[in-house]
Amino acid sequence: MALVRGLLGAKKILSRSVTATTPKGFLAVYVGEDNVQKKRYIVPVSYLNQPSFQALLSKSEEEFGFDHPMGGLTIPCPEDTFITVTSSLKAR
């Protein structure tokens, strides 16, 4: 149930963060740790169904709840961790 609630909350945030530069079927996420400038990534929405990406979203929920300071979905992890997770999803 928490996963469904989390996905619904993420979807609400995403609907606010979609801009003309985010293609349909993709979403913008901001990645970085506390004291580091956040970097914007565009990822396929299909990643929302992947357990490894959901783990990143859970960490985001724990740290920020659903009040994301960047205005979009913020994932508070090292950039290299995010790249490792998303690279493994691209390989599938």
Side-chain angles (χ1 to χ4, degrees):
M1 188 62 167
L3 176 61
V4 172
R5 194 177 69 241
L7 289 175
L8 291 175
K11 187 174 182 180
K12 187 183 297 184
I13 290 165
L14 297 174
S15 67
R16 289 184 293 197
S17 69
V18 173
T19 66
T21 60
T22 305
K24 186 173 182 153
F26 290 80
L27 59 107
V29 295
Y30 295 89
V31 178
E33 295 179 281
D34 292 337
N35 300 325
V36 179
Q37 176 73 22
K38 307 284 191 269
K39 187 168 180 184
R40 185 176 191 255
Y41 286 90
I42 306 296
V43 298
V45 294
S46 62
Y47 285 8
L48 293 172
N49 293 324
Q50 302 299 321
S52 55
F53 198 79
Q54 289 173 0
L56 292 176
L57 291 176
S58 292
K59 182 176 180 182
S60 177
E61 181 183 14
E62 289 171 14
E63 186 158 328
F64 294 111
F66 288 110
D67 180 29
H68 294 265
M70 299 290 294
L73 184 59
T74 304
I75 300 177
C77 72
E79 192 175 347
D80 59 338
T81 301
F82 179 80
I83 291 170
T84 300
V85 169
T86 55
S87 294
S88 69
L89 296 174
K90 287 180 194 174
R92 292 180 183 185

